[in-house]
Coordinates of all heavy atoms in Angstrom, one line a residue:
K390 N 92.1 50.6 -109.4 CA 90.8 50.9 -108.8 C 90.6 52.4 -108.8 O 91.5 53.2 -109.0 CB 90.9 50.5 -107.3 CG 90.8 49.0 -107.1 CD 89.4 48.6 -107.0 CE 89.3 47.1 -106.6 NZ 88.0 46.7 -106.5
A391 N 89.4 52.8 -108.7 CA 89.0 54.2 -108.8 C 88.8 54.8 -107.4 O 88.8 54.1 -106.4 CB 87.6 54.4 -109.5
L392 N 88.8 56.1 -107.3 CA 88.5 56.9 -106.1 C 87.1 57.5 -106.3 O 86.9 58.2 -107.3 CB 89.5 57.9 -105.8 CG 89.4 58.8 -104.7 CD1 89.4 58.1 -103.3 CD2 90.4 59.9 -104.7
V393 N 86.2 57.3 -105.4 CA 84.8 57.8 -105.5 C 84.7 58.8 -104.3 O 84.7 58.3 -103.1 CB 83.8 56.8 -105.5 CG1 82.4 57.4 -105.6 CG2 84.0 55.7 -106.6
L394 N 84.5 60.1 -104.6 CA 84.3 61.1 -103.5 C 82.8 61.3 -103.5 O 82.2 61.7 -104.5 CB 85.1 62.3 -103.9 CG 86.6 62.1 -104.2 CD1 87.2 63.4 -104.7 CD2 87.3 61.6 -103.0
V395 N 82.2 61.2 -102.3 CA 80.8 61.4 -102.2 C 80.5 62.6 -101.2 O 81.4 62.9 -100.4 CB 80.0 60.1 -101.7 CG1 80.2 59.0 -102.7 CG2 80.5 59.7 -100.3
N396 N 79.4 63.2 -101.4 CA 78.9 64.3 -100.5 C 79.9 65.5 -100.6 O 80.2 66.2 -99.6 CB 78.8 63.9 -99.1 CG 77.8 62.8 -98.9 OD1 76.7 62.9 -99.4 ND2 78.1 61.8 -98.2
C397 N 80.4 65.8 -101.8 CA 81.4 66.8 -102.0 C 80.7 68.2 -102.4 O 79.7 68.2 -103.2 CB 82.3 66.5 -103.2 SG 83.2 65.0 -103.1
K398 N 81.3 69.2 -101.9 CA 81.0 70.6 -102.5 C 82.1 70.8 -103.6 O 83.2 70.6 -103.3 CB 81.1 71.6 -101.4 CG 80.6 73.0 -101.8 CD 80.4 73.8 -100.6 CE 79.8 75.2 -101.1 NZ 78.4 75.2 -101.1
V399 N 81.6 71.1 -104.8 CA 82.6 71.1 -105.9 C 82.7 72.6 -106.4 O 81.7 73.3 -106.6 CB 82.1 70.3 -107.1 CG1 83.0 70.4 -108.3 CG2 82.0 68.8 -106.6
L400 N 84.0 73.0 -106.5 CA 84.3 74.3 -107.0 C 84.6 74.2 -108.5 O 85.4 73.4 -108.9 CB 85.5 74.9 -106.3 CG 86.0 76.3 -106.9 CD1 84.9 77.4 -106.6 CD2 87.3 76.7 -106.2
D401 N 83.8 74.9 -109.3 CA 84.0 74.9 -110.8 C 85.1 75.9 -111.0 O 84.9 77.1 -110.9 CB 82.7 75.3 -111.5 CG 82.9 75.4 -113.0 OD1 84.1 75.5 -113.5 OD2 81.9 75.4 -113.7
T402 N 86.3 75.5 -111.1 CA 87.5 76.4 -111.2 C 87.5 77.2 -112.5 O 88.0 78.3 -112.4 CB 88.8 75.6 -111.1 OG1 88.8 74.5 -112.1 CG2 89.0 74.9 -109.8
A403 N 86.8 76.8 -113.5 CA 86.7 77.6 -114.7 C 85.8 78.8 -114.5 O 86.0 79.9 -115.0 CB 86.3 76.7 -115.9
A404 N 84.6 78.5 -113.8 CA 83.6 79.6 -113.6 C 83.9 80.4 -112.3 O 83.4 81.5 -112.2 CB 82.3 78.9 -113.5
G405 N 84.7 79.8 -111.4 CA 85.0 80.5 -110.2 C 83.9 80.5 -109.2 O 83.7 81.4 -108.5
A406 N 83.0 79.4 -109.3 CA 81.8 79.4 -108.4 C 81.6 77.9 -108.0 O 82.0 77.0 -108.7 CB 80.6 79.9 -109.2
Y407 N 80.9 77.7 -106.9 CA 80.6 76.4 -106.5 C 79.4 75.9 -107.3 O 78.5 76.6 -107.6 CB 80.2 76.4 -105.0 CG 81.3 76.7 -104.1 CD1 81.5 77.9 -103.4 CD2 82.3 75.7 -103.8 CE1 82.5 78.1 -102.6 CE2 83.3 75.9 -103.0 CZ 83.5 77.1 -102.4 OH 84.5 77.3 -101.5
L408 N 79.4 74.6 -107.6 CA 78.2 73.9 -108.1 C 77.2 73.8 -107.0 O 77.5 73.6 -105.9 CB 78.5 72.5 -108.6 CG 79.6 72.4 -109.8 CD1 79.8 71.0 -110.2 CD2 79.1 73.2 -111.0
P409 N 75.9 74.0 -107.3 CA 74.9 74.0 -106.3 C 74.7 72.6 -105.7 O 74.8 71.6 -106.5 CB 73.6 74.4 -107.0 CG 73.8 74.2 -108.5 CD 75.3 74.3 -108.7
G410 N 74.6 72.4 -104.4 CA 74.3 71.2 -103.8 C 75.6 70.3 -103.6 O 76.7 70.8 -103.9
L411 N 75.4 69.1 -103.2 CA 76.5 68.2 -103.0 C 76.6 67.3 -104.2 O 75.7 67.0 -104.9 CB 76.3 67.3 -101.7 CG 76.3 68.1 -100.4 CD1 76.0 67.2 -99.3 CD2 77.6 68.9 -100.2
H412 N 77.8 66.7 -104.5 CA 78.1 65.9 -105.7 C 78.9 64.7 -105.3 O 79.5 64.5 -104.3 CB 78.9 66.8 -106.7 CG 78.0 67.8 -107.3 ND1 77.7 69.0 -106.6 CD2 77.5 67.9 -108.5 CE1 76.9 69.7 -107.4 NE2 76.8 69.1 -108.6
R413 N 78.9 63.7 -106.3 CA 79.8 62.6 -106.3 C 80.8 62.8 -107.4 O 80.4 63.3 -108.5 CB 79.0 61.3 -106.7 CG 78.0 60.9 -105.6 CD 77.3 59.6 -106.0 NE 76.5 59.1 -105.0 CZ 75.6 58.1 -105.2 NH1 75.5 57.5 -106.3 NH2 74.9 57.7 -104.2
V414 N 82.0 62.5 -107.2 CA 83.1 62.7 -108.1 C 83.8 61.3 -108.3 O 84.2 60.7 -107.3 CB 84.1 63.8 -107.6 CG1 85.2 63.9 -108.6 CG2 83.4 65.1 -107.4
L415 N 84.0 60.9 -109.5 CA 84.7 59.7 -109.9 C 86.1 60.1 -110.4 O 86.2 60.8 -111.4 CB 83.9 58.9 -110.9 CG 84.6 57.6 -111.4 CD1 84.9 56.6 -110.3 CD2 83.8 57.0 -112.6
V416 N 87.1 59.6 -109.7 CA 88.5 59.8 -110.1 C 89.1 58.5 -110.5 O 89.1 57.5 -109.7 CB 89.3 60.5 -109.0 CG1 90.8 60.7 -109.5 CG2 88.7 61.8 -108.5
F417 N 89.7 58.4 -111.7 CA 90.3 57.1 -112.2 C 91.6 57.5 -112.9 O 91.6 58.4 -113.8 CB 89.3 56.4 -113.1 CG 89.8 55.0 -113.5 CD1 89.9 54.0 -112.6 CD2 90.2 54.8 -114.8 CE1 90.4 52.8 -113.0 CE2 90.6 53.6 -115.2 CZ 90.7 52.5 -114.3
K418 N 92.6 56.8 -112.6 CA 93.9 57.0 -113.2 C 94.3 58.5 -113.1 O 94.9 59.1 -114.0 CB 94.0 56.5 -114.6 CG 93.9 55.0 -114.7 CD 94.1 54.5 -116.1 CE 94.1 53.0 -116.1 NZ 94.3 52.4 -117.4
G419 N 94.1 59.1 -111.9 CA 94.5 60.4 -111.7 C 93.7 61.6 -112.3 O 94.0 62.7 -112.2
K420 N 92.6 61.2 -113.0 CA 91.8 62.2 -113.7 C 90.3 62.1 -113.2 O 89.8 61.0 -113.0 CB 91.9 62.0 -115.2 CG 93.3 62.3 -115.7 CD 93.3 62.3 -117.2 CE 94.7 62.6 -117.7 NZ 94.7 62.7 -119.1
V421 N 89.7 63.3 -113.2 CA 88.2 63.3 -112.9 C 87.5 62.7 -114.1 O 87.7 63.3 -115.2 CB 87.8 64.7 -112.5 CG1 86.3 64.8 -112.4 CG2 88.4 65.2 -111.3
R422 N 86.7 61.7 -113.9 CA 86.0 61.0 -115.0 C 84.5 61.3 -115.0 O 83.8 61.1 -115.9 CB 86.2 59.5 -114.9 CG 87.7 59.1 -115.0 CD 88.3 59.5 -116.2 NE 89.7 59.0 -116.2 CZ 90.5 59.0 -117.3 NH1 90.1 59.4 -118.4 NH2 91.7 58.6 -117.2
G423 N 84.0 61.8 -113.8 CA 82.6 62.1 -113.7 C 82.3 62.9 -112.5 O 82.9 62.7 -111.5
V424 N 81.3 63.9 -112.7 CA 80.8 64.7 -111.6 C 79.3 64.7 -111.7 O 78.8 65.1 -112.8 CB 81.4 66.1 -111.6 CG1 80.7 66.9 -110.5 CG2 82.9 66.1 -111.5
Q425 N 78.6 64.2 -110.7 CA 77.1 64.2 -110.8 C 76.6 64.6 -109.4 O 77.2 64.4 -108.4 CB 76.6 62.8 -111.1 CG 76.9 62.3 -112.5 CD 76.0 63.0 -113.5 OE1 74.8 63.2 -113.2 NE2 76.5 63.3 -114.6
P426 N 75.4 65.2 -109.4 CA 74.7 65.6 -108.2 C 74.6 64.4 -107.2 O 74.3 63.3 -107.7 CB 73.4 66.2 -108.6 CG 73.6 66.6 -110.0 CD 74.6 65.6 -110.6
Q427 N 74.8 64.6 -106.0 CA 74.6 63.5 -105.0 C 73.1 63.4 -104.8 O 72.4 64.4 -104.5 CB 75.3 64.0 -103.6 CG 75.1 63.0 -102.5 CD 76.0 61.8 -102.6 OE1 77.1 61.9 -103.2 NE2 75.5 60.7 -102.2
P428 N 72.5 62.2 -104.9 CA 71.1 62.1 -104.8 C 70.7 62.3 -103.3 O 71.5 61.9 -102.4 CB 70.8 60.7 -105.2 CG 72.1 60.0 -105.3 CD 73.1 61.0 -105.3
E429 N 69.5 62.9 -103.1 CA 69.0 63.1 -101.7 C 68.7 61.7 -101.2 O 68.4 60.7 -101.9 CB 67.8 63.9 -101.7 CG 68.0 65.3 -102.3 CD 68.8 66.2 -101.3 OE1 68.7 66.0 -100.1 OE2 69.5 67.0 -101.8
A430 N 68.7 61.5 -99.8 CA 68.4 60.3 -99.2 C 67.0 59.8 -99.7 O 66.1 60.5 -99.6 CB 68.4 60.4 -97.7
G431 N 67.0 58.6 -100.2 CA 65.7 58.0 -100.6 C 65.4 58.3 -102.0 O 64.4 57.8 -102.6
A432 N 66.1 59.2 -102.7 CA 65.8 59.6 -104.1 C 66.5 58.7 -105.0 O 67.5 58.1 -104.7 CB 66.3 61.1 -104.3
A433 N 66.0 58.6 -106.2 CA 66.6 57.8 -107.3 C 67.9 58.5 -107.7 O 68.1 59.7 -107.7 CB 65.7 57.7 -108.5
A434 N 68.9 57.6 -108.0 CA 70.2 58.1 -108.4 C 70.2 58.6 -109.8 O 69.4 58.1 -110.6 CB 71.3 57.0 -108.3
P435 N 71.0 59.6 -110.2 CA 71.1 60.1 -111.6 C 71.5 58.9 -112.5 O 72.1 58.0 -112.0 CB 72.1 61.2 -111.6 CG 72.3 61.6 -110.2 CD 71.9 60.4 -109.3
D436 N 71.2 59.0 -113.7 CA 71.5 57.9 -114.7 C 73.0 57.4 -114.6 O 73.3 56.2 -114.7 CB 71.2 58.2 -116.1 CG 69.7 58.3 -116.3 OD1 68.9 57.7 -115.5 OD2 69.3 58.9 -117.3
F437 N 73.9 58.4 -114.4 CA 75.3 58.1 -114.4 C 75.6 57.0 -113.3 O 76.5 56.2 -113.5 CB 76.1 59.4 -114.1 CG 77.6 59.2 -114.2 CD1 78.2 59.2 -115.4 CD2 78.3 59.1 -113.0 CE1 79.6 59.1 -115.4 CE2 79.7 59.0 -113.0 CZ 80.3 58.9 -114.2
W438 N 74.9 57.1 -112.2 CA 75.2 56.2 -111.1 C 74.2 55.0 -110.9 O 74.4 54.2 -110.0 CB 75.2 57.0 -109.8 CG 76.2 58.1 -109.8 CD1 76.0 59.4 -110.0 CD2 77.6 57.9 -109.6 NE1 77.2 60.1 -110.0 CE2 78.2 59.2 -109.7 CE3 78.5 56.8 -109.3 CZ2 79.6 59.4 -109.5 CZ3 79.8 57.0 -109.1 CH2 80.4 58.3 -109.3
K439 N 73.2 55.0 -111.8 CA 72.2 54.0 -111.6 C 72.8 52.6 -111.7 O 73.5 52.2 -112.7 CB 71.1 54.1 -112.7 CG 69.9 53.3 -112.5 CD 68.8 53.7 -113.4 CE 68.2 55.0 -112.8 NZ 67.0 55.4 -113.1
G440 N 72.5 51.8 -110.7 CA 73.0 50.4 -110.7 C 74.5 50.2 -110.4 O 75.0 49.1 -110.5
V441 N 75.2 51.3 -110.0 CA 76.6 51.2 -109.8 C 76.9 50.9 -108.3 O 76.3 51.6 -107.4 CB 77.3 52.6 -110.2 CG1 78.8 52.5 -109.8 CG2 77.2 52.8 -111.7
D442 N 77.7 49.9 -108.0 CA 78.1 49.6 -106.7 C 79.3 50.4 -106.4 O 80.4 50.1 -106.9 CB 78.4 48.1 -106.5 CG 78.8 47.7 -105.1 OD1 78.9 48.6 -104.3 OD2 79.1 46.5 -105.0
L443 N 79.2 51.5 -105.7 CA 80.3 52.4 -105.5 C 81.5 51.7 -104.8 O 82.7 51.9 -105.3 CB 79.9 53.6 -104.6 CG 78.9 54.6 -105.2 CD1 78.6 55.7 -104.2 CD2 79.3 55.1 -106.5
A444 N 81.3 50.9 -103.9 CA 82.4 50.2 -103.2 C 83.2 49.3 -104.2 O 84.4 49.1 -104.0 CB 81.9 49.4 -102.0
A445 N 82.5 48.7 -105.2 CA 83.1 47.9 -106.1 C 84.0 48.7 -107.1 O 85.0 48.1 -107.6 CB 82.1 47.1 -106.9
L446 N 83.8 50.0 -107.2 CA 84.6 50.8 -108.1 C 86.0 51.0 -107.5 O 87.0 51.1 -108.2 CB 84.0 52.2 -108.3 CG 82.8 52.2 -109.2 CD1 82.2 53.6 -109.3 CD2 83.2 51.8 -110.6
G447 N 86.1 51.1 -106.2 CA 87.3 51.4 -105.5 C 87.1 51.9 -104.2 O 86.2 51.5 -103.4
V448 N 87.9 52.9 -103.8 CA 87.8 53.5 -102.5 C 86.8 54.6 -102.5 O 86.8 55.5 -103.3 CB 89.2 54.1 -102.1 CG1 89.2 54.8 -100.8 CG2 90.3 53.0 -102.1
V449 N 85.9 54.5 -101.5 CA 84.8 55.6 -101.4 C 85.2 56.4 -100.2 O 85.4 55.9 -99.1 CB 83.5 54.9 -101.2 CG1 82.4 56.0 -101.0 CG2 83.1 54.0 -102.3
V450 N 85.2 57.8 -100.4 CA 85.6 58.7 -99.3 C 84.4 59.7 -99.2 O 84.0 60.3 -100.1 CB 86.8 59.5 -99.7 CG1 87.2 60.5 -98.6 CG2 88.0 58.6 -99.9
D451 N 83.9 59.8 -97.9 CA 82.8 60.7 -97.6 C 83.5 62.1 -97.4 O 84.2 62.3 -96.4 CB 82.0 60.3 -96.4 CG 80.8 61.1 -96.1 OD1 80.7 62.2 -96.7 OD2 80.0 60.7 -95.3
C452 N 83.2 63.0 -98.3 CA 83.9 64.4 -98.2 C 82.9 65.4 -97.6 O 83.1 66.6 -97.9 CB 84.3 64.8 -99.6 SG 85.6 63.7 -100.3
R453 N 81.9 65.0 -96.8 CA 81.0 66.0 -96.3 C 81.8 67.1 -95.5 O 82.7 66.8 -94.8 CB 80.0 65.3 -95.3 CG 78.9 66.3 -95.0 CD 77.8 65.5 -94.2 NE 77.2 64.4 -95.0 CZ 76.2 64.5 -95.9 NH1 75.8 65.7 -96.2 NH2 75.8 63.4 -96.5
G454 N 81.5 68.3 -95.9 CA 82.2 69.4 -95.2 C 83.5 69.8 -95.9 O 84.2 70.7 -95.5
K455 N 83.9 69.1 -97.0 CA 85.1 69.4 -97.8 C 84.8 69.9 -99.1 O 83.7 69.7 -99.7 CB 85.9 68.1 -97.9 CG 86.2 67.3 -96.6 CD 87.2 68.1 -95.8 CE 87.7 67.3 -94.7 NZ 87.2 67.6 -93.4
V456 N 85.7 70.6 -99.8 CA 85.6 71.1 -101.1 C 86.5 70.4 -102.1 O 87.7 70.2 -101.8 CB 85.9 72.7 -101.1 CG1 85.8 73.2 -102.5 CG2 84.9 73.4 -100.2
V457 N 86.0 70.0 -103.2 CA 86.8 69.4 -104.3 C 87.0 70.5 -105.3 O 86.1 71.1 -105.7 CB 86.1 68.2 -104.9 CG1 86.8 67.6 -106.0 CG2 85.9 67.1 -103.8
M458 N 88.3 70.7 -105.7 CA 88.7 71.7 -106.6 C 89.4 71.1 -107.8 O 90.6 71.1 -107.9 CB 89.5 72.8 -106.0 CG 88.9 73.5 -104.8 SD 89.9 74.8 -104.1 CE 91.1 73.8 -103.2
P459 N 88.6 70.5 -108.8 CA 89.3 69.8 -109.9 C 90.2 70.8 -110.7 O 89.8 72.0 -110.9 CB 88.1 69.4 -110.8 CG 86.9 69.3 -109.9 CD 87.2 70.3 -108.8
G460 N 91.3 70.4 -111.0 CA 92.3 71.2 -111.8 C 93.2 72.0 -110.9 O 94.1 72.6 -111.4
V461 N 93.0 72.0 -109.6 CA 93.9 72.7 -108.7 C 94.8 71.7 -108.0 O 94.3 70.9 -107.2 CB 93.1 73.6 -107.7 CG1 94.1 74.3 -106.7 CG2 92.2 74.6 -108.3
A462 N 96.0 71.6 -108.5 CA 96.9 70.6 -108.0 C 97.3 70.8 -106.5 O 97.4 69.9 -105.7 CB 98.1 70.4 -108.9
D463 N 97.6 72.0 -106.2 CA 98.1 72.4 -104.8 C 97.7 73.8 -104.5 O 98.4 74.7 -105.0 CB 99.6 72.2 -104.8 CG 100.2 72.3 -103.4 OD1 99.4 72.8 -102.5 OD2 101.4 72.1 -103.2
A464 N 96.7 74.0 -103.7 CA 96.2 75.3 -103.4 C 97.2 76.1 -102.6 O 97.0 77.3 -102.5 CB 94.8 75.2 -102.7
A465 N 98.1 75.4 -101.9 CA 99.1 76.1 -101.1 C 100.4 76.4 -101.9 O 101.4 76.8 -101.3 CB 99.4 75.3 -99.9
M466 N 100.4 76.2 -103.1 CA 101.6 76.3 -104.0 C 102.0 77.8 -104.0 O 101.2 78.7 -104.0 CB 101.3 75.9 -105.4 CG 102.5 76.0 -106.3 SD 102.1 75.3 -107.9 CE 101.0 76.5 -108.6
R467 N 103.3 78.0 -103.9 CA 103.9 79.4 -103.9 C 104.6 79.6 -105.3 O 105.3 78.8 -105.8 CB 104.9 79.6 -102.8 CG 104.5 79.2 -101.4 CD 103.5 80.3 -100.9 NE 103.2 80.1 -99.5 CZ 102.2 79.4 -99.0 NH1 101.3 78.8 -99.8 NH2 102.0 79.3 -97.7
M468 N 104.3 80.8 -105.9 CA 104.9 81.1 -107.1 C 105.9 82.2 -106.9 O 105.6 83.2 -106.2 CB 103.9 81.6 -108.1 CG 102.8 80.6 -108.5 SD 103.5 79.2 -109.4 CE 103.7 79.9 -110.9
H469 N 107.2 82.1 -107.3 CA 108.2 83.1 -107.2 C 108.7 83.5 -108.5 O 109.1 82.7 -109.3 CB 109.4 82.5 -106.3 CG 108.9 82.1 -104.9 ND1 108.7 83.0 -103.9 CD2 108.7 80.9 -104.4 CE1 108.4 82.4 -102.8 NE2 108.3 81.1 -103.1
P470 N 108.8 84.8 -108.8 CA 109.4 85.3 -110.0 C 110.9 84.9 -110.1 O 111.5 84.9 -109.1 CB 109.1 86.8 -110.0 CG 108.9 87.1 -108.6 CD 108.4 85.9 -107.9
T471 N 111.3 84.7 -111.3 CA 112.8 84.4 -111.5 C 113.5 85.5 -112.2 O 112.9 86.3 -112.8 CB 113.0 83.1 -112.3 OG1 112.3 83.2 -113.5 CG2 112.5 81.9 -111.5

């Protein structure tokens, strides 16, 4: 099953900036498979999500107020020189 994160603020770790607005993120087999803007209430979904039953994909998590940072495995990780 997949993990579908909705209402996410997404940090583009390559650019070092947030993507504008909220997004949906599809995670499957431990990898991000898709990032698309979250449609506004009552608005048509982007083509990527058109006709997709999110609950049927797997676990849906509402991430409102949270930041998704693809590519950052552990933001609290400590690096020590050897």
Side-chain angles (χ1 to χ4, degrees):
K390 290 272 184 178
L392 175 63
V393 181
L394 307 173
V395 297
N396 299 314
C397 303
K398 187 163 184 95
V399 177
L400 177 64
D401 179 343
T402 53
Y407 290 105
L408 298 180
L411 298 176
H412 289 74
R413 291 179 176 171
V414 179
L415 174 63
V416 180
F417 185 69
K418 293 188 177 182
K420 294 187 179 185
V421 173
R422 304 296 180 167
V424 176
Q425 289 286 323
Q427 179 77 32
E429 298 291 328
D436 288 344
F437 184 82
W438 298 101
K439 191 167 285 204
V441 174
D442 179 3
L443 296 181
L446 285 176
V448 177
V449 178
V450 178
D451 188 345
C452 295
R453 192 169 303 274
K455 307 287 190 257
V456 176
V457 175
M458 298 182 285
V461 178
D463 185 352
M466 181 175 72
R467 307 288 190 265
M468 299 294 286
H469 298 284
T471 55

